[in-house]
Every structure is written in C-alpha cells, then in structure tokens.
Amino acid sequence: MSIAWVFPGQGSQVVGMGRDLIAVSPAARQIFAIADETLNFGLSELCFSGPETDLTATENAQPALLTTSIALLAALREVSGDRLEPPIAVTGHSLGEYSALVAGGSLDFVTALRLVRRRGELMAAAHEGGMAAVIGLDADVLEQICDEVSATLQEHGVSQSTVVIANYNAPDQLVISGTSVAVEHASLLAKSRGAKRVIPLKVSAAFHSPLMVDAAEGMAKAIAEVSVRDLEIPLIANVTAEPIRSADDVRREIVAQVVAPVRWIASVRYMVAMGVETFIEIGPGRVLTGLIRRIAPEARLINIATFEDIRALTVMQPV
C-alpha cells in the first residue's frame, strides 16, 4: 500500500484544534510548548480556545496550522511506532507545504515555524487585490478569461489589470486572484460563460499571484538565513507538481510558491501515477480529502485531525 502524506493550508484552522492531543500525547504536547517558546506568545492557547478572529488572522493562522499538523504527526508517530509505514511522497496545499517539508526532513520544526510566521506577516501586510472561487468551469476556459480581461483592461488604460488562476484545486473548483477590478471583471465573464458559482473570498490580498512579489522577496531573504536540508522523502511541489529533493530546490520552491499558482490537481495526479494508493491528510479539517476525492475517486482517503483519528487508524486500521 503506497502512501502519501498531505497537509492542509490556510482556511482549515478551527478553534479547538489540537486541544485533545495535549492530554494524551507527550510528543504533541512538546510541539505546542516549542511553538509557544519560539514565538514568545501563547499560540497553543490561541489554537485551543481562540478567539476565532485572532486565530483567523493570517500571521497567526499560518503558524497555528503548521503547529497543529506537526503535533498530529508527532502523536501519530508516537502511537504507531515502527508500524507506521513511511510515505513515498509528501505534499501540502500552499502553507501546508511547510508541514510537508518538516515531515520530509528538509526543515526542522522551529525553522519552519519561524519561516511560516514571517510568511504570514508578509502576506498580512499585502493589501492589494482579492480572490474568488470559480465553481464548475474548465481550467482552459478560465485561463482564457483571465488573459482576455487583463488584455482588455490594459487596452483601456487600466494599470491594475492582473488576474490569474491562483489555485487549481479540483476539476470543478478553481480560484482566481488579482487586482480587485480585474477579479470582478473575470468573475462576471466566468458566470456568463457557464460557471455554476463565483464566490468572492474573504482575503486581504491577491495571494498566489504576481501581486505578491514583495512577499516573495521577503521570503527569499528569510530562507537565505536558515538551514535547509535535502529531503528524505520527495516533496511534490506546488509550483511544478513534480518531485523535488534537494535543498536548493526547496529554497526556490518556498520563494516561488508565494506568487505562483497551487497546482493541486496535477500534484494529486502525479502521485497517483507514481503509485500512491492511499492519501493521509494530517491536519485540521477535511479540505484536501474532499479535493482528492474529486481528482482521484479510486484513492483510499484517511483523515488525521484528532487523537481519536490516530487511535482509529492504528487500532482499527493498522498501518
């Protein structure tokens, strides 16, 4: 049974995440303690008790999700011991890529935590543009719409003309990102060309678009100052949807993924082609499980979001 570990990104956070772990898992308890000490504030209490408005803030949500995902992984390893079959690949959705890099041996947890905190700060500081989810429209049609809108706005002298696909989440779920005017125009055109729904997202900026270049430059400085190791397990990268292993490739990925689209569909299909039969989502929620089900309906899907999930996997479904 070939396995891939996948880790969720921003949006999967929920007040109470990880709270059940600390009473039963010394390994998970240590992860939360390290996070509090490293960031010099009560991140664990924010995860366990909120308030939701503070947890949802980008600069907090990102380290909180990383910490909870790695705490779940630590508890899973602790309970399973040598019964835990190693994955043949790891990956994560956007922010989740950092959890995957820890799981794959490229970053230690403290380094990843500091990088993610900086990433969250840089992304929170960006206030230009917006995003919208487009449901039920083919990617090639939406790509053409984005190109048309950008070209038309430029022809009419509108400087803020950028709009691109930011997330290729599932065949029927894409996300566009760009300047507010360009996203609005693309949303209207998408509806007129057959999109079932277009949903504006509650975000502060145009993530995974060229408008995030300042954040990418900030991450380039941050990653240059820390230790990065070659991966022990290949990472299926968001930017290319292909495996990377070298430390140099990891550094490039961390910078590029801020402005590049998340190629989740292609990433899942690549893993299926390499022989992955079981996807284990490690982290709060079931977002990635839902997406993978629509991309690879034949795959076996397992969620590890609570200690009870770990118990069920290791007792009822021995790994």
Side-chain angles (χ1 to χ4, degrees), residues 21-307:
L21 297 174
I22 61 169
V24 291
S25 171
R29 191 158 56 243
Q30 183 179 28
I31 292 295
F32 280 106
I34 290 170
D36 289 350
E37 182 179 356
T38 300
L39 299 180
N40 199 30
F41 80 98
L43 181 73
S44 59
E45 186 60 26
L46 188 59
C47 292
F48 304 156
S49 304
E52 184 178 4
T53 52
D54 290 348
L55 179 63
T56 303
T58 296
E59 64 272 24
N60 295 330
Q62 296 200 13
L65 280 164
L66 169 73
T67 299
T68 304
S69 293
I70 297 306
L72 283 161
L73 178 58
L76 176 62
R77 285 171 163 162
E78 179 182 55
V79 171
S80 302
D82 58 10
R83 292 180 297 153
L84 184 63
E85 182 177 343
I88 65 170
V90 295
T91 193
H93 191 286
S94 187
L95 163 72
E97 216 168 43
Y98 286 81
S99 300
L101 288 168
V102 175
S106 180
L107 298 176
D108 64 67
F109 173 61
V110 169
T111 297
L113 189 63
R114 288 172 174 157
L115 286 172
V116 162
R117 176 67 168 178
R118 182 59 181 147
R119 183 181 187 267
E121 290 170 346
L122 289 165
M123 293 177 74
H127 297 292
E128 185 178 3
M131 304 176 75
V134 180
I135 310 300
L137 196 64
D138 289 343
D140 55 352
V141 175
L142 189 56
E143 287 168 354
Q144 184 177 4
I145 287 171
C146 290
D147 291 343
E148 286 182 22
V149 167
S150 293
T152 299
L153 290 176
Q154 288 174 7
E155 288 173 4
H156 286 79
V158 179
S159 59
Q160 296 183 335
S161 60
T162 298
V163 60
V164 297
I165 298 181
N167 297 343
Y168 293 82
N169 283 339
D172 60 346
Q173 185 191 116
L174 307 167
V175 176
I176 57 174
S177 180
T179 64
S180 297
V181 64
V183 169
E184 182 179 352
H185 278 70
S187 296
L188 293 172
L189 200 51
K191 290 178 184 178
S192 72
R193 294 192 183 174
K196 294 179 180 177
R197 296 177 67 196
V198 178
I199 307 165
L201 301 182
K202 295 179 181 180
V203 295
S204 60
F207 302 148
H208 294 290
S209 84
L211 299 182
M212 297 299 294
V213 63
D214 288 346
E217 291 174 355
M219 288 309 300
K221 294 177 182 176
I223 195 65
E225 297 173 355
V226 301
S227 174
V228 180
R229 298 181 294 274
D230 291 345
L231 281 148
E232 299 165 4
I233 305 164
L235 172 84
I236 310 304
N238 284 181
V239 175
T240 63
E242 294 180 353
I244 61 174
R245 294 199 78 136
S246 76
D248 287 343
D249 283 343
V250 169
R251 292 179 187 277
R252 283 189 285 268
E253 174 71 11
I254 281 176
V255 176
Q257 61 129 251
V258 178
V259 294
V262 177
R263 299 184 61 199
W264 189 252
I265 301 170
S267 296
V268 171
R269 288 175 175 165
Y270 188 98
M271 287 183 281
V272 170
M274 69 185 288
V276 171
E277 300 168 332
T278 299
F279 292 86
I280 301 180
E281 180 177 3
I282 303 172
R286 297 174 175 264
V287 171
L288 299 186
T289 298
L291 296 179
I292 295 169
R293 183 175 290 115
R294 282 136 67 187
I295 300 166
E298 72 284 0
R300 182 184 182 216
L301 303 171
I302 296 171
N303 279 92
I304 300 295
T306 66
F307 190 78

